[in-house]
Amino acid sequence: MAIKDYIRERFFPHIWCPGCGHGTVMNSLLRALESLGMSRNEIVMVSGIGCSSRISGYVDFHTLHTIHGRALAFATGVKLSRPELNLIVPMGDGDALAIGGNHFIHAARRNIDITAIVMNNRIYGMTGGQFSPLSGYGTMATTAPYSNIDHAFDTVELAIAAGATFVARSTSYHVKQLSKILRDAILHEGFSVVEVLSQCPTYFGRKNRAGSAVDMMEQYKNDTTPIGSKAKKENPDLIERGIFVQKEMPEYCREYDKIIEKAMKGN
Amino acid sequence: MKENIKFIQGNEACVEGALYAGLEFFAGYPITPSTEIAELMSYRLPQKGCRFIQMEDEIASMSAIIGASLTGHKVMTATSGPGFSLMQEALGYAVMAEIPCVIVNVQRGGPSTGIPTHVSQGDVNQARWGTHGDHAIVTLTASNHQDVFAMTVEGFNIAETYRTPVILLFDEVIGHMRERLVVPEEGEIPLVERLRTSVSEGVDYHPYLPREDGRLPMSDFGGVHRYNVTGLFHDMWGFPSDNPQVVHDLLRHLVDKINNNVNQITNFKSYYLDDAESVLISYGSSARSALHVVELLRPRGERIGLLELQTLWPFPDQLVRRTCEHAKHVIVVEMNMGQILQEVRRVVDQPRKVFLANRIDGVFITPRDIRNIMRLVQGKGV
Amino acid sequence: MGKLKLKEHVITREWCKGCGICVHFCPKQVLELDDQDKVFAARREDCICCELCELRCPDLAIEIETEQGSE
């Protein structure tokens, strides 16, 4: 199937701003799915609220556009009740890690087979540029007019600590790597987290004098490095890209199958 | 003793009713006084190959059952006041996206953490208006275990018929009290199953286009029809819309599908109402004391009767108005500060003849409490 | 087997928002924005079919159609 067979063309052009990284994340995700040759009927996309969450309207799968921060909880219900379905949950940084932070760590802890994508643009875009838990100390936002004193989470470290069995990071610049990582994340049996640095030129870029979408992508190119690279040793400020964790652990729905087996034997 | 006769808690009767109705998925979070429901579900559901999950909070529980309902399963969660507060946003989502599901609230005293191990009926209005925005909702209750069972089954039937969340508003006394339950034979109570679309693959399916009879056939997630579900106002395909006509029509539909079927949704019991001059109106555990008063005073020649409401929302306006028409006075018996009293006063011709017999101290209302109020109302002094 | 050869830059003009990502990152400077800020292939003969424009486009507005070239 061609990539356009996976989208609802009638809703294009989409609502994202010119140069928004989220469109590129969708692009890479569709290519990952295309390369896997997955049928549209076996994919359920669950999203929350925010710019990122609008992705569910554009893709031709079973799509569930839910409430702010709760996408993973809805997805858990879908997955556990029909484990054969493939669950993809794209979220924004605020959606996943502020209002949805609790669901994020608990989904990771259970190791339920869901692919969580954190489209990290370091800002609340839909509401016009407020700081998020990933904006970082010293950034500017409409709710941090004197600069932000909140420290950021490290999504990767948080996901690892919470027990996610696949954890990776890439950017909207590194599209080939991103597509490959998303593919691996979907194939992984267990809870996978892919953080994608995704530029918001409209709010984060403007507020923080980061320039255009192109400038911000240049930054992704220059400020990131493959995991464990020599460059990282020389410059610890570089952000690492790649797959941090990929391990086999019992998956939640499979574990529950065992519970059913036990319970039915006792009957 | 026959196997279908049980001596159990109300919370257990609720579980029996849910399983009888065909419950397949339960998500919950522990909270007094509803916890036994989750405990028993975790034990019973896997025995029939179905699934239970303890979520990280009540928000997640409510969200998870909505997700599971979309894959074609009958679903339920159970909680009490504080947890019910947390569920309100997702409950509104289920209203908007028309997801069949059942939410049990075993009421305790509030506001806030309140009085967890004691009885109250203070969440009547929260059940009606807890979630934001105009909407209709169905809320059922019961005063004994046989009815807890029956209303639980009825809750699932209504949820499937109208594609709506249904709230089962029990209370601590009902939840924890032990009494007899006779589990009906299979088929004795008719069950409403999920109505699935007959539209075949490749043909345009409209998840939000009501049939002529008002029902909306569903298609399971994972099936051949891929559509969108959202909490935004949406068109007949489920895609967001801000077209004023679409917004207006959807809101009307959401309210009318419930409110135009009040008669079908209304469940109640009446005791000695034909010639009653004193009409008691009650529901849930407090109806037990009210019935006691009626059965005590009838043999003494008092023309007193009881209307026991089992459907609280949509409020049965006509039933209550008709019942109170010839009454000299009406006494609403409830364990809150007059939440159903308000409704009764709203619908009767002479609101001044409606009085309240209540308790709000966490102690179960007794027949004596009710009689004391009655004597005042009847001008007999205390 | 020949190398992949460019057949056409298929551009969906209505979807292009003129962000310039494809123009900037094209290794051969094949692409430009026109006076309406829509992308077009100004030097199509320089295209090496790396497809990075297609992969990076946030609007799914550009597609590189290729064919099998002869030796």
Side-chain angles (χ1 to χ4, degrees):
Chain A
M1 271 176 38
I3 180 170
K4 282 199 175 165
D5 292 331
Y6 285 95
I7 61 174
R8 291 162 173 156
E9 278 196 50
R10 62 190 180 284
F11 298 122
F12 281 71
H14 55 56
I15 61 154
W16 291 316
C17 301
C20 173
H22 290 358
T24 307
V25 180
M26 176 170 69
N27 189 331
S28 294
L29 175 64
L30 294 175
R31 281 170 211 285
L33 293 167
E34 184 198 22
S35 76
L36 289 169
M38 284 170 82
S39 143
R40 293 171 295 180
N41 285 349
E42 57 184 8
I43 303 171
V44 179
M45 181 179 280
V46 186
S47 67
I49 294 294
C51 293
S52 60
S53 308
R54 285 308 185 100
I55 185 174
S56 58
Y58 299 120
V59 294
D60 191 11
F61 311 131
H62 302 283
T63 53
L64 181 54
H65 178 232
T66 69
I67 47 184
H68 198 25
R70 318 300 172 203
L72 284 170
F74 281 78
T76 298
V78 175
K79 180 69 185 179
L80 185 58
S81 63
R82 289 247 353 229
E84 70 273 22
L85 296 174
N86 292 292
L87 271 289
I88 299 173
V89 181
M91 298 171 284
D93 39 311
D95 195 36
L97 295 176
I99 189 165
N102 200 33
H103 310 304
F104 183 83
I105 57 175
H106 287 279
R109 176 178 62 80
R110 289 188 192 102
N111 195 34
I112 188 163
D113 186 15
I114 292 173
T115 305
I117 306 169
V118 181
M119 298 155 79
N120 176 11
N121 59 12
R122 305 176 70 189
I123 202 89
Y124 287 92
M126 190 66 88
T127 45
Q130 299 74 38
F131 69 86
S132 90
L134 296 185
S135 295
Y137 187 86
T139 53
M140 303 297 283
T142 57
T143 45
Y146 305 105
S147 109
N148 186 17
I149 57 169
D150 278 37
H151 297 278
F153 275 134
D154 181 322
T155 311
V156 166
E157 283 179 17
L158 181 68
I160 294 170
T165 48
F166 182 103
V167 182
R169 181 193 284 129
S170 190
T171 85
S172 58
Y173 172 81
H174 303 90
V175 279
K176 287 190 169 165
Q177 179 194 39
L178 175 57
S179 210
K180 168 82 173 54
I181 283 177
L182 287 170
R183 191 188 140 102
D184 291 349
I186 293 161
L187 286 175
H188 177 76
E189 197 187 328
F191 192 70
S192 15
V193 176
V194 180
E195 181 189 28
V196 190
L197 307 186
S198 169
Q199 72 278 4
C200 170
T202 305
Y203 289 109
F204 189 88
R206 215 162 45 186
K207 279 271 159 199
N208 290 282
R209 301 204 160 86
S212 66
V214 163
D215 298 329
M216 295 177 83
M217 287 171 79
E218 283 283 352
Q219 259 186 19
Y220 291 153
K221 183 170 78 174
N222 299 328
D223 295 353
T224 66
T225 183
I227 296 173
S229 69
K230 206 173 131 211
K232 174 73 181 176
K233 283 181 198 116
E234 285 159 10
N235 179 6
D237 287 342
L238 291 177
I239 300 166
E240 288 179 297
R241 288 180 285 111
I243 299 171
F244 294 81
V245 171
Q246 187 169 17
K247 60 181 177 189
E248 297 297 314
M249 292 274 280
E251 192 275 329
Y252 194 78
C253 301
R254 299 247 174 161
E255 289 292 291
Y256 201 86
D257 287 341
K258 292 183 203 161
I259 294 288
I260 290 177
E261 214 175 290
K262 244 188 230 176
M264 290 179 104
K265 256 189 211 149
N267 256 356
Chain B
M1 200 162 78
K2 280 166 76 180
E3 213 178 287
N4 66 333
I5 300 176
K6 296 172 186 290
F7 185 72
I8 54 175
Q9 289 190 336
N11 283 341
E12 296 174 81
C14 174
V15 172
E16 295 297 338
L19 295 173
Y20 184 94
L23 175 77
E24 293 161 297
F25 186 93
F26 182 98
Y29 187 83
I31 185 169
T32 305
S34 78
T35 309
E36 294 83 5
I37 296 178
E39 287 176 339
L40 197 52
M41 287 297 186
S42 72
Y43 182 71
R44 295 284 296 278
L45 277 173
Q47 287 179 342
K48 43 180 261 186
C50 298
R51 282 148 203 270
F52 162 93
I53 186 169
Q54 182 170 313
M55 294 299 286
E56 52 272 22
D57 58 28
E58 288 88 348
I59 301 171
S61 303
M62 187 64 215
S63 303
I65 65 164
I66 292 172
S69 182
L70 278 165
T71 65
H73 296 98
K74 289 189 177 179
V75 301
M76 181 189 224
T77 185
T79 188
S80 187
F84 192 51
S85 291
L86 288 180
M87 287 179 182
Q88 294 302 330
E89 190 190 11
L91 177 59
Y93 184 92
V95 169
M96 179 59 113
E98 305 189 64
I99 313 288
C101 55
V102 174
I103 302 103
V104 184
N105 174 0
V106 185
Q107 296 168 93
R108 64 196 231 181
S112 189
T113 311
I115 183 157
T117 55
H118 292 254
V119 72
S120 163
Q121 294 173 323
D123 302 347
V124 171
N125 277 329
Q126 187 190 18
R128 178 64 190 90
W129 289 117
T131 197
H132 58 278
D134 274 315
H135 64 281
I137 197 84
V138 178
T139 301
L140 309 177
T141 184
S143 65
N144 62 65
H145 291 9
Q146 207 60 48
D147 289 351
V148 165
F149 185 98
M151 283 304 110
T152 302
V153 176
E154 173 76 355
F156 280 94
N157 285 348
I158 291 173
E160 293 296 336
T161 304
Y162 300 100
R163 270 188 75 166
T164 181
V166 171
I167 297 160
L168 299 178
L169 200 61
F170 300 136
D171 58 59
E172 191 275 337
V173 163
I174 291 299
H176 283 161
M177 177 182 70
R178 284 179 192 274
E179 67 178 10
R180 195 171 109 117
L181 171 75
V182 183
V183 177
E185 296 292 327
E186 201 177 311
E188 211 175 312
I189 306 180
L191 303 179
V192 178
E193 299 305 335
R194 180 70 50 97
L195 178 67
R196 291 187 169 85
T197 179
S198 55
V199 172
S200 48
E201 183 169 10
V203 180
D204 199 10
Y205 160 65
H206 305 102
Y208 293 103
L209 183 65
R211 296 196 311 200
E212 249 173 56
D213 63 0
R215 294 188 68 183
L216 291 92
M218 297 184 76
S219 175
D220 300 346
F221 266 31
V224 296
H225 299 293
R226 297 179 303 278
Y227 59 99
N228 191 52
V229 178
T230 177
L232 292 165
F233 276 94
H234 47 269
D235 60 23
M236 61 186 172
W237 292 277
F239 289 107
S241 171
D242 54 10
N243 176 314
Q245 193 65 48
V246 170
V247 173
H248 173 273
D249 290 354
L250 177 54
L251 187 53
R252 275 253 62 110
H253 160 74
L254 292 177
V255 171
D256 289 350
K257 73 173 180 180
I258 304 297
N259 289 354
N260 290 350
N261 290 295
V262 174
N263 290 342
Q264 283 75 26
I265 295 170
T266 296
N267 292 272
F268 67 98
K269 285 178 151 179
S270 53
Y271 300 90
Y272 309 102
L273 282 171
D274 290 344
D275 62 345
E277 287 176 352
S278 299
V279 169
L280 302 185
I281 297 179
S282 192
Y283 54 92
S285 65
S286 49
R288 299 173 76 95
S289 291
L291 181 59
H292 192 91
V293 169
V294 171
E295 285 175 341
L296 190 78
L297 297 182
R298 266 285 160 178
R300 298 183 194 176
E302 281 211 38
R303 287 158 74 172
I304 182 171
L306 167 67
L307 173 65
E308 181 191 337
L309 300 175
Q310 294 176 308
T311 299
L312 296 181
W313 308 113
F315 193 74
D317 290 15
Q318 280 182 25
L319 170 72
V320 172
R321 185 181 301 121
R322 226 176 33 238
T323 304
C324 300
E325 223 164 14
H326 304 294
K328 276 194 184 152
H329 40 252
V330 176
I331 297 165
V332 179
V333 182
E334 54 186 338
M335 288 178 283
N336 58 47
M337 295 182 79
Q339 298 192 19
I340 286 294
L341 172 84
Q342 235 177 10
E343 290 301 305
V344 175
R345 283 196 173 145
R346 178 177 62 78
V347 302
V348 298
D349 296 328
Q350 298 162 276
R352 277 186 311 174
K353 71 180 183 186
V354 183
F355 300 90
L356 175 66
N358 72 340
R359 269 194 97 131
I360 54 165
D361 55 358
V363 178
F364 184 61
I365 192 165
T366 62
R368 179 178 292 274
D369 294 328
I370 300 168
R371 285 189 67 196
N372 285 343
I373 299 289
M374 285 184 64
R375 291 174 71 88
L376 280 175
V377 169
Q378 292 167 335
K380 292 177 184 167
V382 181
Chain C
M1 269 275 283
K3 269 174 35 176
L4 276 186
K5 214 179 95 195
L6 177 74
K7 197 167 144 203
E8 199 189 346
H9 291 89
V10 184
I11 289 161
T12 312
R13 273 180 67 84
E14 312 80 66
W15 293 8
C16 174
K17 292 178 184 152
C19 66
I21 290 173
C22 56
V23 175
H24 179 83
F25 290 108
C26 174
K28 295 290 174 191
Q29 288 83 46
V30 171
L31 304 168
E32 280 181 22
L33 294 182
D34 65 17
D35 54 1
Q36 290 176 308
D37 271 351
K38 303 283 182 188
V39 69
F40 73 105
R43 285 165 291 276
R44 66 183 305 279
E45 61 284 359
D46 292 345
C47 178
I48 53 169
C49 305
C50 69
E51 296 181 346
L52 279 170
C53 53
E54 178 179 336
L55 299 180
R56 287 211 180 95
C57 176
D59 297 292
L60 309 183
I62 186 163
E63 209 180 316
I64 303 297
E65 245 180 40
T66 53
E67 57 192 359
Q68 213 63 242
S70 49
E71 275 302 297

